[in-house]
Every structure is written in structure tokens, then in C-alpha cells.
Amino acid sequence: MALSDLNPVERNEEGIAAVLGILKQRLGERFQTGEAIRTQHAHTTTYIPTQAPDGVAFPGTTAEVQEIVTACAAHRVPVIAFGVGSSLEGHTNAPGGGISLDTSRMNRILAVNPQDLDCTVEPGVTREDLNRHLRDTGLFFPIDPGANASLGGMAATRASGTNAVRYGTMRENVLSLTAVMADGETVATGKRAKKSSAGYDLTRLLIGSEGTLGIITQLTLKLQGIPQAISGGVCPFPSVEAACNAVIATIQMGIPVARIELVNALQMRAMKSYSKLDYPESPCLFVEFHGSDAGVAEQAETFGAIAKEYGGGPFLWTSVAEERTKLWKARHDAYWSSLTLRPGAKGLSTDVCVPISRFAECVTQTEADIAEMGLIAPIVGHAGDGNFHVLVLMDAEDPKEIAATEEFVARLNMRAIGMDGTCTGEHGIGQGKVGFLRHELGHGVDIMRTIKQALDPQNIMNPGKILPAD
């Protein structure tokens, strides 16, 4: 996707001026218009230029969100939800200006129901906050995208992460939502029941909508019991292809892995230096098992045998919590370790997802592209889902490098789509991948646009995202 493909959104100067005055009077110090805070609420972790909002509102209740959205609707002013800003495809940019609605003060854990294995939270609660609160209950929330993201933002972008191979994504772990829609009215999409066939599935409609249909103000989430035992470790392989084939065999055998992460040789080099790991500088799988003491030991031994068949090993595993924590801290720090491979460069993180049977082929072809194009681009992947990430390190001021990076990303996205996969496994569309959605979904884009127009006829909810301009 070229920068010229970004959807333009016309500014409504008169309406913006009116809303700035209304919100300043209503929220006082909880409405800010300083340049620094506005820029912070549009920062992106890609090379997409920052497009700052005109003001940042900090509501504390659903009723205040309603007031903000109602004011914006009355004056046709964009409103963009903001969690912690960890999204990767320009989701928080304000191409037509407007109001950034920061949910960080809506951070209450409203209810925990241990017997029902669920809880209800406000959108500003982060996943780490929730798991700290749950620790003494013997429960945890399993979705782990790496960043300490807000749960509202995780639902809005349909986040997943390292545990998804066992526990699923946000789609499977949200029971119901409350959201403020574009007309300022609230909708509750369901109850706490674990199943329902009551009408359209509005919960799933809003999950992954990236704030383009409504703003989430409350979530009811599924919880899991903390496993009796956890084991994990690292297994080196002679090639990325061998590692990918071991993943395919592990999944097909039905081994209940909780995490199985691919790290290619370049990424391993960065992680060894940055996180002080003592593992071979070769493609590796980071693996974790959850269950009983006997169960996790048996699963580890079986995986070790599979790895050996593909030339991998030795599989160094442990059940010691401190050692596992160091390992997964290194995996979650992969972005920062990658930046050390080219100091001063900007990292563009992109991801795709393919059927597990095509995973090895897709990753190896991508590595071939990287070598052919002379890029520095380490690879990590949630291998059990067929999902992997590439971080292209480039000079964001060099038009030639930007063009080469865009060509690489386009080839990667089209390769995944051609393998019956998707151009985004968990990053979302935002602005960065808007040019590929029609290639993937065809007429489905027109259905999405019809839904958007019905629910947000003035196009004030995070405009310029997801839907291409065509």
C-alpha cells in the first residue's frame, strides 16, 4: 500500500470549532488541545504519517462517552477511540481531524464471577491489570498480544497473540459488549450466557470493527483456570522449513500446545544479544504446554520426538517459572530487539495468516523475497495458527526504501491471500492495509460499507479506516 492510497477525509472546520468549545465547557481539564498530547494520541508504530486530532477527551463513564459522541454527531465531527495506542496500522490517526476519545480513565473491573468463569470490565482496563486482579481467584484472561493493550482496544482490533493456538482470539473470548453508537445511543449486545441464538450476532460485528461502528464502553469476558503445571522451552532447527513442518505435524497430531512460536535465524540473533539468551543462532520454536504435571511432561517429550524427526533439537524445556518468564519476556521484546539490527531505522511491522498446511511454503517464500530485495527483516510467528509477523527495518526518510518496503508488503499480502489466507492475522486493517481488503473479500467490502452507512450515515466513527475509498 502506498501512502497515496490513504483514504482522504474532509475536515469540517466549523463543526470542529463548535465541538471544541462544547467539550471544553463540559469536561474542563479532562479535555486537552495541546499539540504534544494531540500528537501522542495519533502516533503510529509504522511509517504512516501522524495525523493528529484537534482535541483529546478523557471520559469517565458511558454517559460521558454518549455526550461526546452526541456532540460530534450534531456537528459532523469525527471521533476516534484510543486505548493505549499500541495498534500497528494507523488506527488512531485522525485524517479529518476531530476528537480522540481516550478510555484510560474508564478502568474499573466491574465484576468477577469465578463460578461462571467470566468478568465484566471497562474498556480502559489493560490485560496485565486484569490478570493481576484475578491472581488470587485462580483464574486468568488468556489473550496475550504482547503489548499491555487495553481490553477495549483488543476487542476493537480482534487481537490475539501467543496463546491463541489454545485459547482462541478476542472473538472467542468476549461474551458481550456495551457500545455507544454513532447516534449517541448505547447498545448491549448480549448477556453473560455462554451461548445464545437470539438474533444477529452484534457482539462479533463490533469485535474487529476498529471503532468504525461504535465505541466499546464495557466488556464481559471469558476466563480460564490457571493451569496446574506449565512447561516450556526452545527447540532449534536446521531451517525455517523444518521448523514449520514440525509445527504442522504437532498440530495435526492434536498435541494441545498453549504456545508454539517461530523465530527465524535473524530474529534469534537479535534476541540473543538484546535479551542475553543462550540458544543457537538458528531458526527456533518457542513452545509451552499447560495442564497437569504428568500431562505437560508427556506433551514435551512427544514434541521433542516430532522435532527430532525434522532434524530439530535438542528440545530444552523447563517447568521452572523464572526460566520460562525470561524466555517469554524475550519473545515479547522481539520488536525492540529487532531494532538493534539496524540502529536508527524505523520498523514496519506487518503480519499475514495462512492455512497451517501452507505455512512452511509461505514463510520460506517470504524469506526468499527478503533476500532478493536486500531487506533487513526478521520473522516471528504464532506458528500454530499459521500467523507470522515480519518487521522490515528501513530508513523512513528514503523514498527508495519506502517504495521497496511497500512492494515487499504488497507481495507478502497477495501471497497470503493467494494461499487462501488473509492479509492480516491480528493487526487489523486501519489505514495500512486498506488497499488489500477488496482483494481478500471482494463483494464482502460492499456489504461492510452498507453496514457502515446504516449505522454511521455521517461517517464520524473513525473515518478513513478499513473501507477502501473505491
Side-chain angles (χ1 to χ4, degrees):
M1 186 220 67
L3 292 179
S4 58
D5 292 334
L6 295 180
N7 285 345
V9 178
E10 185 177 353
R11 284 182 62 87
N12 175 5
E13 299 291 356
E14 183 178 343
I16 289 170
V19 168
L20 292 179
I22 292 169
L23 296 185
K24 186 62 179 177
Q25 182 178 21
R26 175 64 185 86
L27 297 174
E29 292 302 309
R30 291 188 293 122
F31 184 68
Q32 298 290 321
T33 56
E35 181 179 358
I37 197 166
R38 291 190 295 110
T39 301
Q40 175 192 351
H41 281 74
H43 79 87
T44 70
T45 47
T46 75
Y47 72 110
I48 298 172
T50 292
Q51 298 168 307
D54 295 281
V56 181
F58 294 87
T61 64
T62 295
E64 287 186 336
V65 174
Q66 287 184 274
E67 289 188 52
I68 294 165
V69 172
T70 298
C72 289
H75 296 277
R76 300 178 66 93
V77 171
V79 56
I80 302 100
F82 185 95
V84 299
S86 59
S87 54
L88 294 165
E89 296 292 351
H91 297 86
T92 63
N93 263 344
I99 305 303
S100 175
L101 195 153
D102 186 314
T103 61
S104 60
R105 298 194 182 197
M106 299 179 69
N107 60 359
R108 295 180 299 160
I109 297 171
L110 301 173
V112 176
N113 305 292
Q115 291 180 314
D116 295 322
L117 298 177
D118 69 44
C119 68
T120 300
V121 302
E122 291 184 324
V125 176
T126 68
R127 65 174 187 88
E128 290 183 5
D129 289 339
L130 177 58
N131 280 324
R132 275 191 292 268
H133 183 86
L134 293 171
R135 190 172 296 153
D136 293 339
T137 69
L139 303 173
F140 79 115
F141 182 69
I143 308 305
D144 178 6
N148 186 25
S150 70
L151 292 161
M154 288 170 62
T157 55
R158 200 185 299 134
S160 51
T162 58
N163 280 328
V165 64
R166 176 162 182 149
Y167 298 105
T169 73
M170 287 299 284
R171 180 182 62 191
E172 292 80 36
N173 286 277
V174 179
L175 291 171
S176 65
L177 298 167
T178 297
V180 174
M181 308 305 284
D183 58 1
E185 294 293 327
T186 62
V187 59
T189 64
K191 303 295 185 180
R192 290 197 299 118
K194 289 297 191 289
K195 60 191 292 188
S196 171
S197 58
Y200 297 155
D201 192 343
L202 298 180
T203 304
R204 248 51 61 181
L205 178 63
L206 289 171
I207 293 172
S209 64
E210 302 180 16
T212 63
L213 301 179
I215 295 177
I216 296 167
T217 61
Q218 189 171 298
L219 309 91
T220 297
L221 306 170
K222 292 182 183 178
L223 302 177
Q224 301 287 335
I226 295 174
Q228 175 192 347
I230 300 175
S231 72
V234 175
C235 187
F237 286 84
S239 67
V240 162
E241 184 176 13
C244 292
N245 285 329
V247 171
I248 294 170
T250 301
I251 299 301
Q252 290 177 342
M253 281 191 66
I255 298 174
V257 288
R259 297 174 174 176
I260 185 163
E261 297 285 297
L262 171 70
V263 175
N264 78 342
L266 182 59
Q267 181 66 71
M268 200 65 196
R269 180 197 308 170
M271 292 170 71
K272 279 175 58 103
S273 173
Y274 185 86
S275 299
K276 306 299 186 282
L277 297 181
D278 186 22
Y279 296 109
E281 193 174 297
S282 67
C284 290
L285 293 177
F286 288 26
V287 189
E288 186 169 279
F289 306 98
H290 295 176
S292 66
D293 290 324
V296 297
E298 180 182 1
Q299 292 159 21
E301 290 172 7
T302 304
F303 171 78
I306 293 172
K308 188 175 180 179
E309 290 182 16
Y310 291 93
F315 176 39
L316 307 173
W317 66 279
T318 179
S319 57
V320 177
E322 292 78 8
E323 295 178 16
R324 289 188 294 99
T325 298
K326 180 180 179 181
L327 174 65
W328 292 108
K329 177 70 163 59
R331 169 61 185 87
H332 286 323
D333 286 345
Y335 176 87
W336 305 109
S337 67
S338 296
L339 296 180
T340 66
L341 294 169
R342 189 181 178 187
K346 186 85 170 178
L348 185 149
S349 180
T350 189
D351 85 313
V352 295
C353 187
V354 296
I356 190 71
S357 62
R358 307 297 298 274
F359 185 63
E361 181 183 4
C362 193
V363 174
T364 53
Q365 289 184 16
T366 300
E367 281 204 322
D369 265 3
I370 292 168
E372 176 190 331
M373 300 177 77
L375 302 174
I376 301 174
I379 293 175
V380 298
H382 309 313
D385 301 316
N387 178 205
F388 67 95
H389 306 253
V390 186
L391 186 72
V392 185
L393 300 170
M394 66 173 182
D395 180 352
E397 304 300 321
D398 184 339
K400 290 184 178 179
E401 288 202 23
I402 291 175
T405 299
E406 289 178 343
E407 180 186 350
F408 167 76
V409 171
R411 287 166 67 170
L412 174 60
N413 289 339
M414 295 306 292
R415 176 181 299 117
I417 292 169
M419 291 182 174
D420 211 14
T422 175
C423 67
T424 173
E426 57 186 21
H427 288 188
I429 294 294
Q431 293 174 302
K433 296 206 172 186
V434 72
F436 300 99
L437 193 61
R438 187 171 289 280
H439 291 289
E440 182 170 328
L441 297 179
H443 181 54
V445 172
D446 302 313
I447 303 300
M448 291 184 184
R449 183 174 285 115
T450 299
I451 294 170
K452 168 72 168 172
Q453 290 172 344
L455 297 181
D456 180 20
Q458 298 188 102
N459 193 29
I460 65 168
M461 305 300 282
N462 207 8
K465 317 296 169 58
I466 299 185
L467 299 172
D470 65 303

